[in-house]
Amino acid sequence: MTLFTLAPALLDEARRLGVYAIVRQHRKRALGVSVQNGKVESVGASELGGAGFQVFTASGHTAFGYTDGFDESEATAALRRTAESAARAEGMLSVPDRAIFSAAPLVLDLPDPRAERFDALSLERLTAGAKSAHEETRALSSETRVSTNATVNREDWRVDRSDGTTASWSVPRFVLHHAVTAGEGGSVATVRAHLFSADYEALGDPVAARLLSERARGAVRKALGLRTAGRYPAGVYPLLIDYALAKGLAHEAFGHAAEADSFRSSVLASGGRFRSGERVGRESVGVIDEPVAGDHAYQPIGANGFRRERVEIVRAGVLHEALADIFSAGPGGVPAKGAERAESYRATPLPRMSNIRIELAEAAPLPRPFEEMAPEDVRDLVGASGLFERFPKIVFLSGYTGGQVNPVLGDFVFNCQALYELTPGAMTLYRPAIFRGSLLAALGSIERAFGPLQLDAIGTCGKWGQSVPSSGGSHGYVFLEPNESIGVGGR
Amino acid sequence: MSVPAILEPLLDRLARRGTAGKTARSLPVDWRLSWTSYESSSIGVRDGQRASVHAPLTLGSGFALDYLFAWEDGRITTGAAERIAIADPDRFLELAHQAAYEDPDGANFAGPGRFAEIPLASEDVASDARSGGGAGFAALLAAGEAPMAPRGFKTWSGSISAGATLRGVLSSRGLDVRNASTHAGYSFWYEGLTGDAHGSRAPLATAEASERLDRACDLVQRLGAPERGFEGGTMAVLLHPKVAESFLSAYLLANIHGDRIHHGQSAFRIEQFGSADRVFAASLSLRLEPSVPMDTGSYRFTTEGVPARALSYVEDGRLVEPILDLKYARRLGRAPVPGPLSSDSLRLTGGRPMDEAEAIARAGRGVLVLSVLGLHTQDSTRGDFSISAPQTLAIRGGSLGGAVKAVLTGNFFDALRDPKLGLVAFPGFRMPGLLFTGSVGVDAEG
């Protein structure tokens, strides 16, 4: 991208000052449309861009600086101040790190041709498409209120280092969310449906449009049903979770605890080092993180300019690899995987997930595509698998609305959109309830899966004040045996 | 204070309307620019490592702009931009024109107003923001680390920051208001558990930080000792002020925003505001106080140029004013109502006022909740909560005990309606803790 011209001057200045520098240039542009109950409420555009630089003194003391825009003289002055700060950091008893001095340079450019279409985007078409999808969802019921948000964005990144590294990539994203609300007063329920694509024109693609329609239909059905749904009693149950919740489990429970910058306190580490080789699940269970092309969280190159690699956090039920950058790999006793991400040019890169999934060696087939599975179909699927013979009552959690983890304690919690009690020949809807517990207990309880991998559950992941796109999934449905350390909330 | 030089080329173009001939089409007839220019410094601690590669000493500066344009045909454009977007003002305005849409209620442009003069900036903090903190950061780092050895803690994490901000709002109707502010703050936590966060407009006093951290570390030590044999059930629930603040934000504030009310996505209806309808306990009030000099919750104007003012959202259990930006004020036929800058702007009063010791004694058997997981996943319109509270202390026989892993379930609106709701003063916190009766599940071993 021609705007990214600062690196030569900044690296020259770093050389003159006797420091090593990582220069990260970033630009993000976005357009968004919001439609509420039939009316376009806002159409907005945003644009940000600038340069961040992390400098290292010869002894490995570091500081980070950034400036918005691409003015060479301002950026150079900011780099000088940052270098001075790196020198002063030693006086603040900072911890030096010289790992970057042994890095091998990378020269790689990975543009996405779909991102190039951003400049030609028609806001009118985006608005019309969002409105059409909105109206289609509104037409499903006269008893719901619908809010629709559609955004398109393009991110461009370039990372240059003092060792000659020049790495760049671009990411296009289209995201549409419906929020369907039903009920009034104390019986309001809101359920969401989404569509993600790396194609800005996704709404014009019949397959994507049908997928969104199916999800919207499911959201309306759930929202209407939840108006009168009761609470499910808290307790320990055999659980069936859909792939969106399984993504939540993989992300909240394992992903964060496997981020190597946290190993001095993570439950998946001991003495600061990853507990590689320890069994944490059945032999059939794996947890894998990797960049998936065209995905919401796609990042083929780490924010420090290293190729991002596949990470098998759990292989055949055993802890195997971690989400490590070049700085956390050595102390954590794991190989570097280029797993660092930054929210923007203003942020220091941290080891983060990209697309994370729980994958089992085998999965029973679904009778129809996931999006066409009604709760009754899920009950019948469970029945056909023989699970009711062991567990006459199974709790099915559907849809993910977010979660949180304390990787130090190993506690996780997340919430669903709806809870169903499945019994032979019956199915009852209840209000959403939290799914909480200990991450190791949860992984150890995974017993079987149904359906092919579905990896398009999306979200936003927060860590140390930075938010980045996240994604992942699992097989359509994952079954967990009852375990005293994992439970469903409620009353 | 002058307008930042970054804005001058854009303001120059906007002033040309009327003399621009053919290019006038791409010049708005009305406009509002809400701008922010900032400098900041910070330093982090990750698991005992100061200024490590993942939490280094950081210096930054930037400029941000929110804009609203109204065009000749009545359509409007809204957006956010950094310096890169307005570097070429002609291109910026042309793209903005292409992004125009119809929203008659959205075309609101404030003119000159009366804005209270409120000092909000400290030159010492501004200097720290520009320079990377210096001695002030070093002293706070020392205060943060001080509890480690005496208390036998293994790890601590956190950050210290200093920021200096210049904000302003300009409009085609003659509004030109600006304000300088500063913010110094720290956040430290221990053993991966709880800790303390505190902010100020002026430099933070190390002695005050030490006192606050000492109190927080007492709680951390208690969290390190599980409370055996504590069973769940219906009992007294005491939300620490940090948790009470999160609940208030997630449930009460989220439901009094005009857009949610208008679109039927709120727990409340617009007719309830200003009516005799009592929705909470008779003594409960929630007020906005944005005008205390050098207070972290104070501010002079909103991003739309609406003057900040003291007001009541809830008074004696009745809804008084919803938070209304200019658009929803027009749509709902009311005057605009500013929202809080942060919880420091809010004053929650009423209920049964008591101090921490009295609340614990009165609770008899219950829990003190120090943090919760998953509040953001709850459906705020209903008021229901079902959340995990792994950092919770048991209260037994009116005394604070050790740690339990709890699950809280209930309805926050019911708690606010309860005339027995206790508002509990904790030292160092403006927001009170909340004491009510709730349903608590406790995991077998805390």
Side-chain angles (χ1 to χ4, degrees):
Chain A
M1 153 144 235
T2 52
L3 200 64
F4 295 160
T5 57
L6 287 179
L10 294 178
L11 293 175
D12 276 351
E13 184 66 10
R15 192 175 309 116
R16 199 185 66 72
L17 295 168
V19 294
Y20 186 106
I22 304 172
V23 175
R24 191 173 308 103
Q25 298 175 82
H26 174 220
R27 185 187 190 197
K28 181 177 181 180
R29 288 177 287 166
L31 301 172
V33 177
S34 167
V35 192
Q36 301 224 35
N37 301 324
K39 187 173 184 326
V40 176
E41 290 292 349
S42 72
V43 178
S46 67
E47 181 171 5
L48 65 82
F53 17 81
Q54 189 150 9
V55 302
F56 295 81
T57 66
S59 54
H61 293 283
T62 184
F64 176 75
Y66 64 87
T67 180
D68 72 320
F70 298 94
D71 183 278
E72 189 174 302
S73 60
E74 278 188 31
T76 306
L79 180 88
R80 275 189 222 112
R81 289 196 299 275
T82 307
E84 287 165 15
S85 294
R88 279 196 294 117
E90 189 169 1
M92 290 188 165
L93 308 178
S94 82
V95 177
D97 193 321
R98 298 194 77 256
I100 194 68
F101 294 104
S102 59
L106 174 73
V107 176
L108 186 62
D109 179 28
L110 294 174
D112 188 322
R114 291 170 294 193
E116 298 302 325
R117 296 179 201 141
F118 186 89
D119 288 327
L121 277 177
S122 155
L123 202 47
E124 270 178 44
R125 276 186 68 187
L126 177 68
T127 305
K131 234 185 141 177
S132 167
H134 176 85
E135 290 303 336
E136 190 184 321
T137 305
R138 282 183 84 205
L140 294 172
S141 169
S142 59
E143 298 177 85
T144 56
R145 300 176 292 287
V146 181
S147 165
T148 300
N149 288 288
T151 60
V152 288
N153 71 52
R154 170 184 178 162
E155 281 197 74
D156 292 283
W157 294 83
R158 175 175 162 154
V159 180
D160 294 81
R161 300 198 308 249
S162 290
D163 64 3
T165 290
T166 298
S168 58
W169 69 98
S170 55
V171 184
R173 295 188 188 94
F174 165 89
V175 186
L176 186 144
H177 280 282
H178 292 308
V180 179
T181 303
E184 277 189 19
S187 61
V188 174
T190 299
V191 180
R192 293 170 209 286
H194 85 275
L195 176 69
F196 168 80
S197 176
D199 179 359
Y200 296 132
E201 305 288 348
L203 288 175
D205 170 10
V207 175
R210 193 164 57 246
L211 182 65
L212 178 62
S213 293
E214 291 292 345
R215 288 176 175 172
R217 204 176 299 279
V220 168
R221 197 166 48 228
K222 271 185 200 163
L224 291 171
L226 285 169
R227 290 176 301 178
T228 52
R231 285 177 186 272
Y232 201 68
V236 172
Y237 302 100
L239 292 172
L240 188 74
I241 59 176
D242 68 13
Y243 77 88
L245 279 147
K247 177 260 180 181
L249 180 61
H251 182 104
E252 299 296 346
F254 296 96
H256 281 301
E259 290 165 346
D261 58 322
S262 304
F263 280 177
R264 286 183 297 277
S265 54
S266 168
V267 290
L268 293 187
S270 175
R273 296 174 78 79
F274 193 53
R275 290 160 50 182
S276 301
E278 285 194 25
R279 175 160 295 283
V280 290
R282 287 181 165 82
E283 199 164 356
S284 58
V285 176
V287 179
I288 298 156
D289 180 279
E290 64 184 327
V292 174
D295 177 62
H296 185 240
Y298 183 57
Q299 185 168 328
I301 297 169
N304 286 325
F306 297 91
R307 191 73 201 249
R308 182 160 186 133
E309 297 174 32
R310 170 188 169 96
V311 179
E312 287 192 71
I313 298 169
V314 176
R315 175 191 278 180
V318 173
L319 285 176
H320 183 59
E321 296 171 329
L323 293 154
D325 61 1
I326 190 169
F327 304 109
S328 57
V334 291
K337 294 287 187 176
E340 69 278 5
R341 298 177 72 185
E343 178 186 72
S344 76
Y345 67 89
R346 292 186 294 260
T348 312
L350 299 171
R352 307 290 292 260
M353 287 161 264
S354 53
N355 186 298
I356 189 163
R357 65 181 183 265
I358 294 174
E359 185 170 349
L360 274 70
E362 288 180 358
L366 300 184
R368 54 180 59 83
F370 178 87
E371 302 298 341
E372 294 173 23
M373 293 282 289
E376 294 81 359
D377 299 321
V378 178
R379 176 202 59 207
D380 294 345
L381 179 73
V382 168
S385 73
L387 279 171
F388 283 140
E389 289 157 26
R390 288 163 58 204
F391 307 107
K393 189 167 69 180
I394 290 172
V395 169
F396 168 40
L397 304 177
S398 169
Y400 179 63
T401 60
Q404 211 171 348
V405 66
N406 182 329
V408 177
L409 303 174
D411 297 315
F412 71 87
V413 59
F414 45 79
N415 210 344
C416 59
Q417 291 186 336
L419 182 154
Y420 299 89
E421 183 187 78
L422 308 180
T423 53
M427 187 257 339
T428 312
L429 174 65
Y430 291 87
R431 290 192 212 176
I434 55 165
F435 172 33
R436 67 190 169 81
S438 135
L439 68 89
L440 291 172
L443 193 67
S445 299
I446 294 174
E447 195 217 46
R448 69 175 75 180
F450 301 89
L453 289 174
Q454 308 265 151
L455 302 180
D456 65 344
I458 65 169
T460 301
C461 170
K463 178 179 174 183
W464 277 83
Q466 296 187 47
S467 295
V468 297
S470 70
S471 61
S474 186
H475 303 274
Y477 305 95
V478 174
F479 177 73
L480 288 81
E481 287 186 323
N483 184 310
E484 286 299 323
S485 295
I486 50 175
V488 172
R491 183 157 61 183
Chain B
M1 288 179 286
S2 60
V3 170
I6 297 165
L7 268 181
E8 282 174 5
L10 177 60
L11 289 172
D12 179 57
R13 296 300 189 286
L14 292 171
R16 283 187 204 171
R17 192 178 164 82
T19 61
K22 274 195 253 177
T23 58
R25 187 181 147 274
S26 293
L27 290 174
V29 292
D30 260 319
W31 48 266
R32 181 180 70 230
L33 306 175
S34 176
W35 55 270
T36 303
S37 174
Y38 64 90
E39 292 178 294
S40 69
S41 291
S42 64
I43 189 168
V45 180
R46 294 289 306 271
D47 289 316
Q49 297 196 335
R50 294 176 172 203
S52 70
V53 69
H54 293 121
L57 189 56
T58 296
L59 290 94
S61 63
F63 178 84
L65 178 72
D66 285 313
Y67 54 88
L68 168 66
F69 298 134
W71 311 93
E72 220 160 38
D73 60 6
R75 294 185 304 157
I76 65 167
T77 302
T78 58
E82 289 188 356
R83 183 157 46 160
I84 179 180
I86 58 171
D88 179 346
D90 292 323
R91 171 187 164 271
F92 171 68
L93 288 167
E94 182 58 38
L95 290 174
H97 186 247
Q98 288 171 20
Y101 65 102
E102 284 182 22
D103 185 2
D105 293 328
N108 300 290
F109 301 90
R114 293 172 68 89
F115 300 93
E117 286 298 333
I118 310 165
L120 297 172
S122 149
E123 184 43 48
D124 289 338
V125 174
S127 171
D128 278 349
R130 283 190 293 268
S131 66
F137 278 18
L140 283 171
L141 281 172
E145 190 164 10
M148 291 293 296
R151 291 180 182 267
F153 290 162
K154 293 191 185 78
T155 186
W156 65 302
S157 294
S159 63
I160 302 167
S161 63
T165 303
L166 188 60
R167 289 177 56 225
V169 186
L170 291 158
S171 83
S172 54
R173 306 284 178 95
L175 174 64
D176 183 359
V177 61
R178 61 197 68 184
N179 193 64
S181 65
T182 53
H183 190 273
Y186 70 82
S187 172
F188 294 129
W189 60 97
Y190 300 86
E191 308 293 78
L193 299 169
T194 192
D196 184 55
H198 187 48
S200 170
R201 300 258 181 220
L204 287 161
T206 311
E208 184 191 2
S210 295
E211 269 179 40
R212 295 179 63 98
L213 290 165
D214 211 38
R215 283 194 295 270
C217 286
D218 287 345
L219 299 174
V220 175
Q221 280 194 304
R222 285 187 178 278
L223 286 170
E227 181 77 17
R228 308 284 176 197
F230 188 80
E231 294 194 351
T234 299
M235 64 181 76
V237 175
L238 175 54
L239 302 183
H240 187 274
K242 290 184 294 184
V243 182
E245 181 183 316
S246 301
F247 269 76
L248 210 62
S249 172
Y251 289 97
L252 209 167
L253 290 176
N255 277 295
I256 62 170
H257 277 271
D259 57 338
R260 287 187 63 167
I261 296 166
H262 176 75
H263 292 294
Q265 292 159 345
S266 161
F268 308 120
R269 290 171 285 106
I270 192 64
E271 301 78 34
Q272 291 178 282
F273 290 84
S275 76
D277 187 9
R278 187 164 270 149
V279 296
F280 300 123
S283 62
L284 201 73
S285 296
L286 181 69
R287 302 188 184 94
L288 177 72
E289 179 41 85
S291 309
V292 180
M294 295 301 282
D295 193 90
T296 47
S298 293
Y299 65 103
R300 294 183 65 210
F301 50 85
T302 69
T303 54
E304 296 182 315
V306 174
R309 60 184 168 93
L311 58 91
S312 292
Y313 299 121
V314 178
E315 196 68 47
D316 296 333
R318 296 186 180 93
L319 295 167
V320 181
E321 298 204 70
I323 297 170
L324 295 174
D325 61 12
L326 291 169
K327 172 176 171 174
Y328 284 93
R330 178 192 279 195
R331 191 168 281 184
L332 294 167
R334 292 175 172 237
V337 181
L341 181 68
S342 70
S343 65
D344 290 342
S345 318
L346 296 171
R347 306 289 186 272
L348 181 68
T349 59
R352 297 172 64 168
M354 58 187 87
D355 66 23
E356 189 182 346
E358 185 188 348
I360 290 169
R362 190 182 288 262
R365 179 172 176 274
V367 288
L368 169 60
V369 182
L370 299 171
S371 84
V372 293
L373 292 178
L375 195 57
H376 65 291
T377 71
Q378 306 291 299
D379 188 340
S380 63
T381 46
R382 208 188 267 260
D384 286 347
F385 58 86
S386 167
I387 48 174
S388 182
Q391 293 182 40
T392 293
L393 295 173
I395 299 172
R396 266 181 164 163
S399 297
L400 208 51
V404 293
K405 285 186 177 178
V407 179
L408 310 177
T409 55
N411 184 287
F412 191 60
F413 296 142
D414 287 346
L416 296 181
R417 275 192 281 270
D418 184 351
K420 296 198 289 287
L421 174 73
L423 267 63
V424 183
F426 280 70
F429 291 88
R430 175 176 287 156
M431 176 66 67
L434 295 176
L435 178 66
F436 55 90
T437 302
S439 174
V440 180
V442 174
D443 283 354
E445 259 327 285

